[in-house]
Amino acid sequence: MVKGTIYVEHLSKTFKKGNVQAVKDVSFAVEEGEFFAFLGPNGAGKSTTVQIVTTLISPSAGKVYVAEQDVLTNPKEVREHIGVALQETGIDPSLTGREMLHLQCRIFGFTNQQAKSRTNELLEVVQLSQAADRICGNYSGGMRRRLDLALTLVNKPKILFLDEPTTGLDPSNRKSIWDYLERLNKEEGTTIFLTTQYLEEADTLADRISIIDDGEIVATGTPQELKAQIGNDIIAMTFENEGEAEKAEAAITQHMPDADYVKNTTELNIYVQDGAKRLMEIVRLLDQQDLAAQTINVNTPTLDDIFLKITAEGERKRGEVEHG
Amino acid sequence: MGNGLLKDIWVLSKRSVLTTLRSPFSFIPNLLISTFFLLVYDSGLSGISQLPAFEGANYLAFILPVSVVSAAIGGAGGAGQGIVKDIENGFFSRLLLTPASRLSIVLGPIIAGMLQLFVQTILILIVAFLMGLEVATGFLGVLVVLLLAVGWGLAFAGYSAGIALKTKNAQAAQAGTLIFFPLIFLSTTFVPYELIESSWLKVAATINPTTYIFESMRTVLIDGWKFWGIAKGIIAITIACAITITFAAVSAKKAVSRG
Ligand SMILES: Nc1ncnc2c1ncn2[C@@H]1O[C@H](COP(=O)(O)OP(=O)(O)OP(=O)(O)O)[C@@H](O)[C@H]1O
Ligand SMILES: [Mg+2]
């Protein structure tokens, strides 16, 4: 195994409390220097995975290696090599930003002098030099996030874990964190594992993405591969009401058995190879059924579409299991 | 990278002290209450020291240990409160994600709590001296009282930290400190053992370790250097510390991981 990698095999986690199976047989590997994203909706198991991989909680089953170390038997070695920003920031609100950073430096074995200069350096990076001597309990949400990010960078980690680092940030803060992460990854070669609910974020930043839903990885690939996976075009239609949309859905199922589609209340998305040609076919079909769509668009897919399609398939499968 | 255990403990205790100093309302009320106890009990109850069982002892010297020990127990609860706060604002997880030893992460708040007790006890002793305290064993005796108070506080800090780590919940940790009342009051708090009337209170006082702390302190303050009287308290503290700090360390291991 190469240093700087994350290696996870058949990882499962069941919380005894509530008997929740949060992660189900998840396997993935992240190469040194790679920017990898875990993309999934609320409750998908992203944070649980991050907490296991970063030694905070133990898995129910499976193997996890980070920086060539087994997280179960050598947690301390793992912690020396990683930087972690959990979903909830980890800040003592009674300390100033400078004191927080200094403390973190000292815990990582810096001398007082080294800690001072590293603290100044990081305050600069996250643009908190001005606010450094204010109690961080009074920081805004965005400032806290930035301080939290700085704290994870103290030990110049080779591997960085970021659990939804930009959730709740305004666009300019988000953009500056994106820029910084890209620089870390490209210029310093830091391996980054990031979780997000934002497709745009994964699309912009990640070399490779795994989509996780209900504790399972349902798709993995580069952003381009994932887009290719759902066909070339999407015919997106909206109907006046859900009943109309259902009728259209039934017609499509009956007359175009090869078409892939996702219905979401009054919206119907059909995935096809040759959008323009199939559009005529679909319009004719709807016309025969006396249905009229309010809007019709032919789009090339975005990650949003992939996400919607894959998670909807997951729901459908689960529905089938439950109903027979 | 990383430190030895001692540097971890040093760095993390310093931070806990700073955090405590930044929220003075976490310790000032406790200090005031303990001093208040001393004033009120001494002026309200000192008459009973005329009873023969007191053997002519000064009631101030008799009641001083109650003030000192209640300050110690009340103050030590702060260790648990501090840990609960850290868990709630996510700082505890951040510490767990560093290579710092797990023991130092628990000991930081406990040691800060102990230092707080040290200062508190000195202040209470100063007030007692201003009120006319006389100590049978002199300055060395005062040091023994101080050490007994801090030792008993340490045991209780371990208990409160353990409860905090086990429940990870502010209310539960607060409820855990209710043990303060039986510990302080089901004992030889106001009168010597021989004067306790009811037999259930006698039983409670016998099994309550605080009784032996009181006895040790009173021996030093009133009777002089009597080995066995002083040793009882030290033994009680040693056993209690061993139990509660083990409890805290075990709870920390579980809180840390294996969720
Ligand atoms: N400590 C816990 N005890 C019991 N159940 C838990 C615990 N932590 C998480 N879960 C459950 O495990 C599942 C996955 O949660 P997780 O926090 O990993 O999701 P997530 O993908 O991070 O979601 P979000 O985007 O909302 O942060 C959820 O059903 C959650 O309720
Ligand atoms: Mg999460």
Side-chain angles (χ1 to χ4, degrees):
Chain A
M1 245 170 289
V2 203
K3 201 166 179 137
T5 57
I6 306 162
Y7 181 80
V8 173
E9 197 178 274
H10 300 303
L11 174 67
S12 294
K13 175 70 185 180
T14 304
F15 286 106
K16 283 187 212 101
K17 197 169 38 171
N19 196 23
V20 186
Q21 229 192 318
V23 177
K24 303 167 188 165
D25 195 23
V26 159
S27 300
F28 64 92
V30 181
E31 298 290 320
E32 183 173 5
E34 198 176 9
F35 201 134
F36 181 79
F38 240 32
L39 175 62
N42 286 135
K46 302 184 295 295
S47 298
T48 305
T49 307
V50 169
Q51 282 170 287
I52 293 171
V53 176
T54 59
T55 76
L56 215 48
I57 60 178
S58 65
S60 307
K63 289 196 189 117
V64 181
Y65 292 89
V66 171
E68 297 181 305
Q69 306 283 343
D70 186 330
V71 296
L72 273 183
T73 56
N74 292 351
K76 193 169 173 215
E77 284 75 9
V78 170
R79 289 180 200 123
E80 295 201 342
H81 290 101
I82 62 176
V84 188
L86 295 177
Q87 190 165 357
E88 310 287 334
T89 56
I91 287 169
D92 178 350
S94 61
L95 301 184
T96 66
R98 187 187 302 283
E99 286 165 346
M100 272 297 317
L101 278 163
H102 192 88
L103 172 67
Q104 185 83 353
C105 289
R106 295 284 283 158
I107 293 175
F108 271 102
F110 290 55
T111 64
N112 250 322
Q113 273 311 313
Q114 290 169 331
K116 263 186 202 147
S117 68
R118 183 76 180 138
T119 295
N120 284 329
E121 210 174 293
L122 286 168
L123 284 168
E124 206 56 51
V125 164
V126 295
Q127 294 156 36
L128 282 175
S129 302
Q130 293 278 313
D133 297 306
R134 278 167 50 196
I135 298 288
C136 47
N138 300 332
Y139 281 10
S140 75
M143 291 163 82
R144 268 175 216 237
R145 271 264 164 242
R146 269 148 45 206
L147 176 60
D148 201 60
L149 183 63
L151 288 167
T152 71
L153 299 173
V154 156
N155 57 328
K156 302 198 169 148
K158 292 221 65 67
I159 312 170
L160 205 52
F161 294 87
L162 306 164
D163 196 359
E164 302 196 23
T166 65
T167 301
L169 294 190
D170 64 27
S172 95
N173 268 310
R174 172 170 306 160
K175 183 75 173 56
S176 73
I177 285 189
W178 283 3
D179 291 345
Y180 186 65
L181 295 180
E182 276 198 314
R183 246 188 300 138
L184 265 184
N185 177 247
K186 298 261 146 46
E187 288 165 24
E188 319 243 330
T190 308
T191 308
I192 301 183
F193 178 114
L194 168 140
T195 79
T196 180
Q197 302 183 30
Y198 304 117
L199 301 131
E200 191 200 353
E201 184 159 282
D203 197 5
T204 314
L205 294 173
D207 301 322
R208 217 151 46 87
I209 300 169
S210 275
I211 297 181
I212 181 168
D213 186 32
D214 198 34
E216 287 176 285
I217 291 184
V218 290
T220 299
T222 63
Q224 291 71 24
E225 281 168 352
L226 288 177
K227 285 178 200 166
Q229 199 177 321
I230 69 161
N232 290 329
D233 297 315
I234 304 156
I235 300 172
M237 298 180 282
T238 56
F239 292 89
E240 193 167 333
N241 55 49
E242 199 160 352
E244 297 257 296
E246 271 163 17
K247 278 185 213 155
E249 184 186 5
I252 302 284
T253 327
Q254 201 187 339
H255 298 281
M256 297 177 64
D258 62 316
D260 230 342
Y261 63 87
V262 170
K263 189 183 82 67
N264 187 8
T265 61
T266 61
E267 291 168 23
L268 185 63
N269 286 354
I270 304 172
Y271 303 90
V272 291
Q273 285 299 326
D274 190 347
K277 215 167 91 197
R278 301 302 292 268
L279 180 64
M280 299 306 293
E281 210 178 309
I282 287 167
V283 172
R284 234 174 287 138
L285 180 62
L286 292 180
D287 202 37
Q288 280 166 18
Q289 308 283 326
D290 252 348
L291 292 165
Q294 282 189 318
T295 62
I296 302 185
N297 286 305
V298 181
N299 302 324
T300 49
T302 63
L303 266 178
D304 268 295
D305 301 311
I306 300 164
F307 187 60
L308 245 170
K309 181 169 176 245
I310 288 172
T311 52
E313 271 165 12
E315 301 258 299
R316 216 178 298 157
K317 250 183 252 155
R318 280 199 289 284
E320 278 160 22
V321 172
E322 269 154 35
H323 298 130
Chain B
M1 250 193 275
N3 303 308
L5 178 63
L6 285 181
K7 189 178 164 203
D8 281 344
I9 294 177
W10 167 248
V11 168
L12 290 170
S13 303
K14 237 168 57 177
R15 171 257 153 182
S16 287
V17 169
L18 197 56
T19 302
T20 309
L21 288 177
R22 295 262 163 94
S23 49
F25 287 105
S26 68
F27 59 87
I28 287 178
N30 181 51
L31 183 60
L32 291 181
I33 288 170
S34 310
T35 319
F36 179 77
F37 271 4
L38 191 61
L39 294 169
V40 169
Y41 291 154
D42 185 55
S43 41
L45 298 170
S46 57
I48 60 173
S49 66
Q50 305 308 315
L51 295 172
F54 280 90
E55 292 161 359
N58 175 346
Y59 196 72
L60 178 60
F62 183 82
I63 204 71
L64 176 64
V66 176
S67 176
V68 166
V69 169
S70 68
I73 297 184
Q81 298 297 320
I83 289 178
V84 169
K85 256 194 251 159
D86 286 345
I87 292 175
E88 283 176 349
N89 57 38
F91 182 68
F92 199 74
S93 296
R94 152 126 2 259
L95 287 180
L96 294 178
L97 286 166
T98 68
S101 90
R102 315 290 96 169
L103 183 63
S104 67
I105 294 175
V106 187
L107 279 181
I110 292 180
I111 289 176
M114 220 177 70
L115 288 174
Q116 180 188 329
L117 298 183
F118 190 76
V119 175
Q120 265 186 18
T121 310
I122 291 177
L123 291 176
I124 293 172
L125 286 169
I126 291 175
V127 172
F129 276 111
L130 292 178
M131 288 168 66
L133 178 72
E134 278 164 33
V135 181
T137 50
F139 180 70
L140 269 183
V142 173
L143 278 188
V144 172
V145 170
L146 197 56
L147 288 181
L148 285 165
V150 170
W152 192 224
L154 180 63
F156 198 73
Y159 163 82
S160 90
I163 296 275
L165 287 162
K166 212 170 170 68
T167 60
K168 301 182 196 168
N169 171 306
Q171 281 83 29
Q174 191 75 52
T177 60
L178 283 178
I179 199 177
F180 170 90
F181 291 102
L183 272 181
I184 289 288
F185 293 109
L186 302 185
S187 181
T188 51
T189 317
F190 301 115
V191 293
Y193 191 77
E194 307 87 75
L195 287 189
I196 295 179
E197 291 270 320
S198 79
S199 54
W200 70 266
L201 189 54
K202 266 197 148 80
V203 173
T206 310
I207 55 176
N208 184 352
T210 309
T211 303
Y212 304 100
I213 317 298
F214 284 159
E215 192 178 332
S216 284
M217 290 186 179
R218 284 168 182 162
T219 303
V220 172
L221 290 169
I222 300 168
D223 302 336
W225 296 113
K226 288 194 181 151
F227 175 76
W228 188 229
I230 300 170
K232 275 189 201 167
I234 295 173
I235 293 170
I237 285 172
T238 311
I239 295 175
C241 279
I243 293 174
T244 62
I245 292 181
T246 308
F247 170 56
V250 169
S251 306
K253 274 225 172 85
K254 286 192 184 144
V256 170
S257 55
R258 327 316 165 203

